[in-house]
Amino acid sequence: MDLLSTICILVAGALWGLMGVFVRYLTDLGLTTVQVTAVRIITAAVFFLVFLLVTDRGKLKIKLKDIWVFFGMGVGSVMLMSLCYFSTMQAASLSAAAILLYTSPIFVMLMSILFLGEKFTVQKLMALICAFAGCVCVTGIGNEMSVSGSGVITGLLSGFSYALYSIFGTVALKKYHSYTVSSYAFFFAAAGELVICNIPDLYQRASSSVMPGRMLAVILLMALLTAFAPYLLYTYGLKGVETSKAAIMATIEPMVATILGIVVFHERMELLSAVGIGLIMLAILVLNNFGRPAVMEGNNEADFSNR
């Protein structure tokens, strides 16, 4: 695996782990979790647009026949995953919702084998088992883990839609630069959010907040650190790392979230959480230390010389 791509994916996963801090803060200021999702995605889309206008406007060009890929990434993954994830939170405990979300590497591995021609290896299977077991431990199995039927469905859908980003992203990277791929994913996701989000209620809640200036600053920081930067890094990382391996490495996210909970919110470190962190780290080590020397797979290469 390419070292820079590996680092990008791990940093992306770590940044996603910051999400809980921002969600807690903004909900305390009066926004609903669905509205937090909307402002995060829409603000990140603005960041992506400004980024491309400043760096290379040529990367805003796409072909109409490829819109389906970006629609799938934006609406089918970024937006749908957020909606399903928050719906699961309402139907089940946070721990159960997180575990169902992190079924995504399983879906990624299966779809990568079926549609992208990746090989199934014992190394991947070992890493997948370690990563999923680690997520189960970190998110607190046994603590109010009852889940309704609807919660299971939306939870699995959140994991499946989360996985779609890696699949569609790998396809898009064959023709477009990673900047273009990330940007258009958020353009379509933002368009979807504008359709379903109650803008007047969102504006009223934001303007009536006791600290509207601070809320705006937090929203900007959240969009930058948990959407713009990590998706840019993760999409770039897909160029040099097999899709299934990238999904497994991104499970560093709940580990970071757990550590932040201890440091920022003074939550207790349970033995099971410590075991889970160790298993996630083991999964990353298995993928990076026990495989063959890094060789770019043909299905992940992207030639940008003519773009």
Side-chain angles (χ1 to χ4, degrees):
M1 290 188 291
D2 180 76
L3 178 60
L4 179 59
S5 296
T6 299
I7 293 172
C8 285
I9 290 170
L10 292 175
V11 172
L15 289 174
W16 279 323
L18 300 174
M19 189 62 193
V21 176
F22 290 102
V23 171
R24 286 192 182 187
Y25 190 84
L26 289 173
T27 52
D28 287 344
L29 289 180
L31 297 185
T32 67
T33 51
V34 174
Q35 289 171 338
V36 171
T37 301
V39 296
R40 171 178 174 259
I41 290 176
I42 294 170
T43 306
V46 174
F47 278 146
F48 277 111
L49 178 60
V50 172
F51 176 73
L52 287 189
L53 289 174
V54 172
T55 58
D56 187 352
R57 296 185 180 186
K59 291 185 175 64
L60 283 169
K61 296 179 181 179
I62 62 171
K63 296 180 179 179
L64 289 177
K65 66 178 182 179
D66 297 324
I67 284 181
W68 67 274
V69 178
F70 300 111
F71 180 86
M73 292 182 72
V75 176
S77 179
V78 176
M79 189 185 81
L80 182 61
M81 183 273 290
S82 299
L83 292 174
C84 289
Y85 187 38
F86 286 127
S87 296
T88 308
M89 288 180 180
Q90 296 175 347
S93 67
L94 296 181
S95 299
I99 290 172
L100 289 168
L101 175 67
Y102 281 97
T103 58
S104 58
I106 300 174
F107 290 118
V108 171
M109 182 173 289
L110 292 174
M111 287 189 286
S112 296
I113 294 170
L114 291 174
F115 304 119
L116 301 180
E118 289 189 7
K119 294 181 180 179
F120 177 80
T121 65
V122 175
Q123 175 200 21
K124 290 180 184 178
L125 179 61
M126 288 173 57
L128 180 63
I129 293 172
C130 287
F132 185 70
C135 290
V136 171
C137 292
V138 164
T139 50
I141 187 170
N143 298 332
E144 301 177 359
M145 294 296 291
S146 59
V147 188
S148 65
S150 61
V152 171
I153 293 173
T154 56
L156 290 175
L157 278 175
S158 71
F160 178 74
S161 54
Y162 191 12
L164 287 178
Y165 188 91
S166 297
I167 302 300
F168 281 119
T170 301
V171 173
L173 283 170
K174 292 180 179 180
K175 298 181 65 175
Y176 296 98
H177 194 279
S178 59
Y179 294 170
T180 303
V181 174
S182 302
S183 298
Y184 271 91
F186 271 83
F187 294 162
F188 277 95
E193 288 288 357
L194 287 172
V195 171
I196 66 172
C197 181
N198 189 339
I199 298 296
D201 182 62
L202 174 59
Y203 176 77
Q204 182 178 3
R205 285 174 179 266
S207 59
S208 62
S209 172
V210 293
M211 294 179 289
R214 181 174 295 183
M215 176 183 285
L216 177 60
V218 173
I219 289 173
L220 292 173
L221 192 61
M222 174 183 65
L224 176 65
L225 294 180
T226 73
F228 174 74
Y231 273 97
L232 207 62
L233 290 167
Y234 186 81
T235 306
Y236 178 86
L238 286 174
K239 293 192 300 176
V241 175
E242 280 189 313
T243 310
S244 55
K245 291 183 178 181
I248 294 172
M249 286 192 288
T251 57
I252 194 175
E253 176 185 349
M255 182 188 81
V256 172
T258 299
I259 294 173
L260 281 174
I262 296 167
V263 175
V264 178
F265 299 109
H266 307 292
E267 296 175 352
R268 292 178 55 191
M269 167 64 86
E270 302 290 342
L271 177 60
L272 205 57
S273 295
V275 171
I277 290 174
L279 286 170
I280 292 170
M281 293 302 297
L282 178 60
I284 295 170
L285 288 173
V286 166
L287 288 177
N288 286 279
N289 289 349
F290 300 107
R292 293 181 299 176
V295 176
M296 289 280 288
E297 295 278 343
N299 58 9
N300 277 338
E301 291 180 347
D303 179 12
F304 301 126
S305 58
N306 297 320
R307 298 191 191 119

